[in-house]
Amino acid sequence: MIFTTRFAPSPTGPLHLGHAYSALLAHDMARAAKGVFLLRIEDIDSTRARPVWERQILDDLTWLGLTWDAPPVRQSDRLPAYLDALQTLWARGLIYPCTCTRRDIAAAASAPQEGAEPALGPDGLVYPGTCRQTAGRTGRMPEQAVLRLDMHAALAAIGDTGIRFTETGRSGATQPAPVTATAPALESTVGDIVLSRRDFPGSYHLSVVLDDAAQQITHVIRGEDLFDATPIHVVLQRLLGLPTPVYHHHALIRDDTGKRLAKRDDARAIATYRAEGATPQDIRRMVGLT
Ligand code: GLU
C-alpha cells in the first residue's frame, strides 16, 4: 500500500509554528517515502471555522513549499458519510441520546463516589453515564441531539481483549512500538464520548476516523496532544470495519518556558513571520527541520 498521510488543520485561526511543523513533517515523510500527501479542512465547528482562515492557511502552506496530491477535503461536505455511520451505530444500539448540560456532567462527576476524584479523559470530564440507562435506543435516530457512544457495549461488540495500534513517533522512538489499551481502562478513562453534536451530525472523533479511511490514510502524523484520543479512533475503526493506520505522534513545539505555542496568546502566526521577511527555510530551522 502506498504511504499516504495528511495534514488536517481546523480553520479557526492562523497557521502558527506548531501547525507548520506538523504539516512540514508529514509532507517530508510522504515525499521521502515517495508517497501521497493530502489536506483535510476540519471545519465542523461552524461557530469558529472561517473561510478567510482556510484561505490564509492554504496560502501559508504553499509559501512553505508544500504541495498536495488531490484537492483538499472539507469536513463540512462530508455530512452524508457521518450520518450513515451514525445510523449504523444507532441500528446496533451502540449510541444513545444525551440531554445533560455541562453543568449536569460536572455535578454528577464530582458527586462523591467512593472518594474517587472525577476522571479527566481526552474530551474533559469522563461522562458519568447519567443518560446511558434511561435514554431510548429504538425507533428513529434523533436529529439535532447529542449522541454518545456506549463504550461498554462498543467494547463488547468488538469482542476483543484490547485495542492496539502501532506508534512510530513519541519520545524519539526509532522502532515502531505497539500501543495497547484495555477495555476497563477505556471505560474508566475515556467513557461514553460524544459522536454527534446538537449542531452537527458528527464530532471530531467520528469525522477524523471516517475521513482518514475515505482518504485511504496509511500513516497519521500529528501532535502528541492527540495521542490519548487514538484508542478512541481505533475503537471506532473496529466498530465500523475500517483499517487502522500507523500513528506517528510528534512532540509539540514549545516556547522557552515549555508552554505549548498553540496555547500561548501571542503564538506567532506564519503570516507574521512572512510579513517580517522570514523565508520558508527560516521557518524550517525554527521548528528544528533542515
Ligand atoms: N484538526 C486537528 C487540529 O487542528 C487535527 C486532527 C488530526 O490530525 O487528527 O488539531
Side-chain angles (χ1 to χ4, degrees), residues 6 8-10 19 40 42 204 208 220-222 225-226 233:
R6 50 44 167 202
S10 307
H19 300 129
R40 181 165 74 231
E42 302 211 323
Y204 163 65
V208 85
V220 170
I221 298 158
R222 61 185 179 193
D225 52 328
L226 290 169
H233 301 170

Side-chain angles (χ1 to χ4, degrees), residues 2 34 52 56 78 107 138-139 142 154-155 165 172 220 225 238 286:
I2 182 159
K34 301 211 180 327
V52 60
Q56 173 79 59
R78 301 249 313 133
T138 50
L155 291 164
F165 62 94
V220 170
D225 52 328
R238 301 289 302 281
M286 277 185 242

Side-chain angles (χ1 to χ4, degrees), residues 13-244:
L15 193 81
H16 61 68
L17 273 184
H19 300 129
Y21 174 57
S22 207
L24 286 164
L25 185 66
H27 187 261
D28 285 4
M29 286 173 74
R31 295 296 171 242
K34 301 211 180 327
V36 173
F37 176 75
L38 301 174
L39 282 186
R40 181 165 74 231
I41 305 298
E42 302 211 323
D43 58 351
I44 61 175
D45 186 349
S46 60
T47 58
R48 295 169 61 222
R50 297 275 176 277
V52 60
W53 292 126
E54 180 184 324
R55 280 196 297 277
Q56 173 79 59
I57 289 169
L58 296 183
D59 188 59
D60 284 342
L61 292 175
T62 304
W63 176 79
L64 282 167
L66 270 60
T67 53
W68 39 98
D69 302 311
V73 166
R74 212 167 274 111
Q75 288 190 327
S76 53
D77 292 335
R78 301 249 313 133
L79 258 67
Y82 306 152
L83 269 172
D84 247 30
L86 288 168
Q87 291 288 2
T88 302
L89 296 172
W90 176 260
R92 292 169 66 187
L94 298 177
I95 53 178
Y96 62 87
C98 172
T99 52
C100 293
T101 62
R102 273 174 204 271
R103 251 168 77 191
D104 297 335
I105 295 173
S110 58
Q113 300 157 352
E114 295 153 28
E117 284 290 302
L120 264 188
D123 290 353
L125 281 177
V126 173
Y127 181 61
T130 321
C131 293
R132 189 188 306 129
Q133 307 304 338
T134 52
R137 298 194 192 189
T138 50
R140 279 173 67 93
M141 184 174 84
E143 282 168 24
Q144 288 166 359
V146 171
L147 296 172
R148 290 184 179 275
L149 180 70
D150 181 331
M151 187 59 87
H152 182 78
L155 291 164
I158 293 170
D160 198 5
T161 49
I163 293 297
R164 293 182 186 75
F165 62 94
T166 300
E167 171 67 43
T168 63
R170 291 211 107 194
S171 320
T174 49
Q175 296 287 325
V179 178
T180 56
T182 63
L186 280 169
E187 283 181 47
S188 61
T189 64
V190 174
D192 294 359
I193 42 119
V194 171
L195 289 193
S196 184
R197 305 186 328 206
R198 222 179 299 275
D199 61 331
F200 186 87
S203 70
Y204 163 65
H205 301 302
L206 184 73
S207 314
V208 85
V209 161
L210 293 170
D211 296 346
D212 281 339
Q215 291 185 289
Q216 299 184 23
I217 301 301
T218 61
H219 290 72
V220 170
I221 298 158
R222 61 185 179 193
E224 65 183 1
D225 52 328
L226 290 169
F227 181 79
D228 289 340
T230 304
I232 302 174
H233 301 170
V234 180
V235 169
L236 293 173
Q237 287 153 1
R238 301 289 302 281
L239 283 177
L240 296 165
L242 303 173
T244 294

